[in-house]
PDB file of all heavy atoms in Angstrom:
ATOM      1  N   SER A  70      92.054  29.900-149.456  1.00  0.00           N
ATOM      2  CA  SER A  70      91.540  30.130-148.120  1.00  0.00           C
ATOM      3  C   SER A  70      91.273  31.579-147.905  1.00  0.00           C
ATOM      4  O   SER A  70      90.362  31.947-147.028  1.00  0.00           O
ATOM      5  CB  SER A  70      92.454  29.553-147.029  1.00  0.00           C
ATOM      6  OG  SER A  70      93.677  30.286-147.017  1.00  0.00           O
ATOM      7  N   HIS A  71      91.871  32.415-148.557  1.00  0.00           N
ATOM      8  CA  HIS A  71      91.823  33.926-148.344  1.00  0.00           C
ATOM      9  C   HIS A  71      90.528  34.401-149.056  1.00  0.00           C
ATOM     10  O   HIS A  71      90.132  35.482-148.922  1.00  0.00           O
ATOM     11  CB  HIS A  71      92.965  34.674-148.967  1.00  0.00           C
ATOM     12  CG  HIS A  71      94.288  34.439-148.111  1.00  0.00           C
ATOM     13  ND1 HIS A  71      94.369  34.655-146.771  1.00  0.00           N
ATOM     14  CD2 HIS A  71      95.476  33.933-148.547  1.00  0.00           C
ATOM     15  CE1 HIS A  71      95.529  34.326-146.452  1.00  0.00           C
ATOM     16  NE2 HIS A  71      96.298  33.899-147.488  1.00  0.00           N
ATOM     17  N   ALA A  72      89.966  33.588-149.953  1.00  0.00           N
ATOM     18  CA  ALA A  72      88.730  33.931-150.617  1.00  0.00           C
ATOM     19  C   ALA A  72      87.420  33.545-149.944  1.00  0.00           C
ATOM     20  O   ALA A  72      86.378  33.774-150.438  1.00  0.00           O
ATOM     21  CB  ALA A  72      88.779  33.319-152.130  1.00  0.00           C
ATOM     22  N   LEU A  73      87.551  32.997-148.743  1.00  0.00           N
ATOM     23  CA  LEU A  73      86.408  32.476-147.929  1.00  0.00           C
ATOM     24  C   LEU A  73      85.558  33.651-147.558  1.00  0.00           C
ATOM     25  O   LEU A  73      86.105  34.719-147.081  1.00  0.00           O
ATOM     26  CB  LEU A  73      86.838  31.671-146.827  1.00  0.00           C
ATOM     27  CG  LEU A  73      87.569  30.352-147.183  1.00  0.00           C
ATOM     28  CD1 LEU A  73      87.967  29.533-145.769  1.00  0.00           C
ATOM     29  CD2 LEU A  73      86.730  29.361-147.939  1.00  0.00           C
ATOM     30  N   PRO A  74      84.254  33.581-147.631  1.00  0.00           N
ATOM     31  CA  PRO A  74      83.369  34.670-147.187  1.00  0.00           C
ATOM     32  C   PRO A  74      83.485  35.032-145.836  1.00  0.00           C
ATOM     33  O   PRO A  74      83.610  34.025-144.886  1.00  0.00           O
ATOM     34  CB  PRO A  74      81.939  34.231-147.663  1.00  0.00           C
ATOM     35  CG  PRO A  74      82.058  32.699-147.727  1.00  0.00           C
ATOM     36  CD  PRO A  74      83.434  32.442-148.187  1.00  0.00           C
ATOM     37  N   GLU A  75      83.459  36.331-145.321  1.00  0.00           N
ATOM     38  CA  GLU A  75      83.498  36.614-143.951  1.00  0.00           C
ATOM     39  C   GLU A  75      82.113  36.689-143.301  1.00  0.00           C
ATOM     40  O   GLU A  75      81.566  37.644-142.914  1.00  0.00           O
ATOM     41  CB  GLU A  75      84.176  37.927-143.782  1.00  0.00           C
ATOM     42  CG  GLU A  75      85.608  38.052-144.337  1.00  0.00           C
ATOM     43  CD  GLU A  75      86.558  37.205-143.347  1.00  0.00           C
ATOM     44  OE1 GLU A  75      86.166  37.128-142.196  1.00  0.00           O
ATOM     45  OE2 GLU A  75      87.678  36.822-143.780  1.00  0.00           O
ATOM     46  N   VAL A  76      81.525  35.558-143.201  1.00  0.00           N
ATOM     47  CA  VAL A  76      80.202  35.317-142.613  1.00  0.00           C
ATOM     48  C   VAL A  76      80.254  34.122-141.672  1.00  0.00           C
ATOM     49  O   VAL A  76      81.148  33.299-141.797  1.00  0.00           O
ATOM     50  CB  VAL A  76      79.093  35.109-143.672  1.00  0.00           C
ATOM     51  CG1 VAL A  76      78.860  36.383-144.483  1.00  0.00           C
ATOM     52  CG2 VAL A  76      79.396  33.888-144.504  1.00  0.00           C
ATOM     53  N   ALA A  77      79.377  34.081-140.700  1.00  0.00           N
ATOM     54  CA  ALA A  77      79.396  33.006-139.736  1.00  0.00           C
ATOM     55  C   ALA A  77      78.922  31.637-140.399  1.00  0.00           C
ATOM     56  O   ALA A  77      79.448  30.649-140.013  1.00  0.00           O
ATOM     57  CB  ALA A  77      78.399  33.431-138.463  1.00  0.00           C
ATOM     58  N   GLU A  78      77.910  31.711-141.210  1.00  0.00           N
ATOM     59  CA  GLU A  78      77.459  30.592-141.903  1.00  0.00           C
ATOM     60  C   GLU A  78      77.361  30.773-143.461  1.00  0.00           C
ATOM     61  O   GLU A  78      77.011  31.905-143.934  1.00  0.00           O
ATOM     62  CB  GLU A  78      76.039  30.174-141.347  1.00  0.00           C
ATOM     63  CG  GLU A  78      76.073  29.696-139.867  1.00  0.00           C
ATOM     64  CD  GLU A  78      74.566  29.191-139.558  1.00  0.00           C
ATOM     65  OE1 GLU A  78      73.655  29.732-140.109  1.00  0.00           O
ATOM     66  OE2 GLU A  78      74.527  28.293-138.705  1.00  0.00           O
ATOM     67  N   VAL A  79      77.762  29.735-144.230  1.00  0.00           N
ATOM     68  CA  VAL A  79      77.843  29.895-145.646  1.00  0.00           C
ATOM     69  C   VAL A  79      76.774  28.961-146.248  1.00  0.00           C
ATOM     70  O   VAL A  79      76.759  27.772-146.049  1.00  0.00           O
ATOM     71  CB  VAL A  79      79.235  29.498-146.156  1.00  0.00           C
ATOM     72  CG1 VAL A  79      79.242  29.787-147.671  1.00  0.00           C
ATOM     73  CG2 VAL A  79      80.274  30.279-145.412  1.00  0.00           C
ATOM     74  N   PRO A  80      75.806  29.527-146.940  1.00  0.00           N
ATOM     75  CA  PRO A  80      74.764  28.706-147.660  1.00  0.00           C
ATOM     76  C   PRO A  80      75.439  27.724-148.630  1.00  0.00           C
ATOM     77  O   PRO A  80      76.474  28.090-149.149  1.00  0.00           O
ATOM     78  CB  PRO A  80      73.783  29.783-148.368  1.00  0.00           C
ATOM     79  CG  PRO A  80      74.127  30.938-147.597  1.00  0.00           C
ATOM     80  CD  PRO A  80      75.527  30.954-147.156  1.00  0.00           C
ATOM     81  N   TRP A  81      74.789  26.534-148.811  1.00  0.00           N
ATOM     82  CA  TRP A  81      75.383  25.516-149.692  1.00  0.00           C
ATOM     83  C   TRP A  81      75.522  26.053-151.150  1.00  0.00           C
ATOM     84  O   TRP A  81      76.424  25.799-151.772  1.00  0.00           O
ATOM     85  CB  TRP A  81      74.632  24.246-149.653  1.00  0.00           C
ATOM     86  CG  TRP A  81      75.116  23.285-150.686  1.00  0.00           C
ATOM     87  CD1 TRP A  81      74.508  22.775-151.678  1.00  0.00           C
ATOM     88  CD2 TRP A  81      76.373  22.659-150.594  1.00  0.00           C
ATOM     89  NE1 TRP A  81      75.338  21.940-152.463  1.00  0.00           N
ATOM     90  CE2 TRP A  81      76.523  21.833-151.744  1.00  0.00           C
ATOM     91  CE3 TRP A  81      77.494  22.760-149.811  1.00  0.00           C
ATOM     92  CZ2 TRP A  81      77.659  21.082-152.102  1.00  0.00           C
ATOM     93  CZ3 TRP A  81      78.632  21.972-150.057  1.00  0.00           C
ATOM     94  CH2 TRP A  81      78.702  21.176-151.249  1.00  0.00           C
ATOM     95  N   ASP A  82      74.640  26.986-151.628  1.00  0.00           N
ATOM     96  CA  ASP A  82      74.715  27.454-152.970  1.00  0.00           C
ATOM     97  C   ASP A  82      76.038  28.339-153.069  1.00  0.00           C
ATOM     98  O   ASP A  82      76.741  28.165-154.120  1.00  0.00           O
ATOM     99  CB  ASP A  82      73.578  28.518-153.251  1.00  0.00           C
ATOM    100  CG  ASP A  82      72.282  27.716-153.338  1.00  0.00           C
ATOM    101  OD1 ASP A  82      72.368  26.499-153.603  1.00  0.00           O
ATOM    102  OD2 ASP A  82      71.265  28.375-153.413  1.00  0.00           O
ATOM    103  N   ASP A  83      76.508  29.049-152.001  1.00  0.00           N
ATOM    104  CA  ASP A  83      77.672  29.760-152.015  1.00  0.00           C
ATOM    105  C   ASP A  83      78.880  28.809-151.993  1.00  0.00           C
ATOM    106  O   ASP A  83      79.990  29.078-152.640  1.00  0.00           O
ATOM    107  CB  ASP A  83      77.764  30.758-150.913  1.00  0.00           C
ATOM    108  CG  ASP A  83      76.781  31.857-151.035  1.00  0.00           C
ATOM    109  OD1 ASP A  83      76.147  32.021-152.228  1.00  0.00           O
ATOM    110  OD2 ASP A  83      76.539  32.608-150.085  1.00  0.00           O
ATOM    111  N   VAL A  84      78.753  27.671-151.200  1.00  0.00           N
ATOM    112  CA  VAL A  84      79.849  26.771-151.153  1.00  0.00           C
ATOM    113  C   VAL A  84      80.027  26.070-152.555  1.00  0.00           C
ATOM    114  O   VAL A  84      81.157  25.928-152.931  1.00  0.00           O
ATOM    115  CB  VAL A  84      79.476  25.633-150.079  1.00  0.00           C
ATOM    116  CG1 VAL A  84      80.605  24.541-150.064  1.00  0.00           C
ATOM    117  CG2 VAL A  84      79.397  26.254-148.671  1.00  0.00           C
TER     118      VAL A  84
END
Side-chain angles (χ1 to χ4, degrees):
S70 68
H71 294 305
L73 297 179
E75 295 294 335
V76 293
E78 291 185 331
V79 185
W81 175 246
D82 288 346
D83 292 348
V84 175

